[in-house]
Amino acid sequence: MDTATGSTVTPQEALIYAMVTLSASDRQMTDRELRKIGDIVRTLPIFGGFDTDRLVHVAEACGAIVAEDDGLHQVLTTIAASLPKRLHETAYALAVEVAAADLHVEQEELRFLELLRDVLDVDALTAAAIERAARARYRTL
């Protein structure tokens, strides 16, 4: 299906879209965020069988959609349409993981997380638990 019309991509691609869009939301994809996305795709079981050589292509496809008029809405719609309900919390957790990677979360990233949480219907208590766990993992001395 054509993602430009807000249709679907594979669940793995939708998870990547969530991470890439979070990273790009503040108009600055940091090296730490990009490394974190690569590490996640290479190591988490949810990406088993995903051809990591396709990561750049999927990220570029996502970026192209975001750059269009109403692109953010299109990406959010695509993510929601492409993921089974049981992966909604996973998508939110992966986006939070990328946000936490550079140890500072920008306002634009917080806004994207809020939009993602809403479109995926992640309840406030679950979102708070995911966010708190990320803060604990990335805390510094």
Side-chain angles (χ1 to χ4, degrees):
M1 290 183 163
D2 178 40
T3 57
T5 59
S7 51
T8 61
V9 295
T10 70
Q12 290 171 324
E13 290 169 339
L15 294 172
I16 292 168
Y17 276 29
M19 293 185 291
V20 167
T21 306
L22 177 283
S23 180
S25 65
D26 63 355
R27 306 277 190 259
Q28 180 178 330
M29 295 179 79
T30 68
D31 289 341
R32 276 187 136 153
E33 289 170 339
L34 294 173
R35 272 194 308 275
K36 176 51 73 178
I37 293 169
D39 290 348
I40 288 169
V41 171
R42 279 189 302 279
T43 61
L44 288 187
I46 194 73
F47 291 102
F50 180 79
D51 179 2
T52 56
D53 290 339
R54 292 188 51 242
L55 180 56
V56 171
H57 171 75
V58 173
E60 287 173 347
C62 177
I65 296 168
V66 171
E68 296 175 11
D69 289 340
D70 203 29
L72 180 59
H73 174 74
Q74 287 182 45
V75 166
L76 287 166
T77 301
T78 298
I79 292 167
S82 302
L83 290 173
K85 177 79 172 139
R86 67 184 184 81
L87 293 181
H88 287 193
E89 292 171 358
T90 302
Y92 188 74
L94 295 181
V96 168
E97 195 72 17
V98 172
D102 58 10
L103 307 179
H104 177 74
V105 181
E106 297 293 338
Q107 278 303 121
E108 297 88 351
E109 292 171 327
L110 292 172
R111 178 68 181 137
F112 174 76
L113 288 171
E114 180 182 331
L115 294 170
L116 184 63
R117 187 171 57 243
D118 289 347
V119 77
L120 296 178
D121 197 28
V122 174
D123 67 84
L125 188 57
T126 300
I130 289 168
E131 293 160 9
R132 181 150 184 137
R135 277 193 302 274
R137 280 191 304 282
Y138 286 92
R139 189 159 285 137
T140 59
L141 292 177

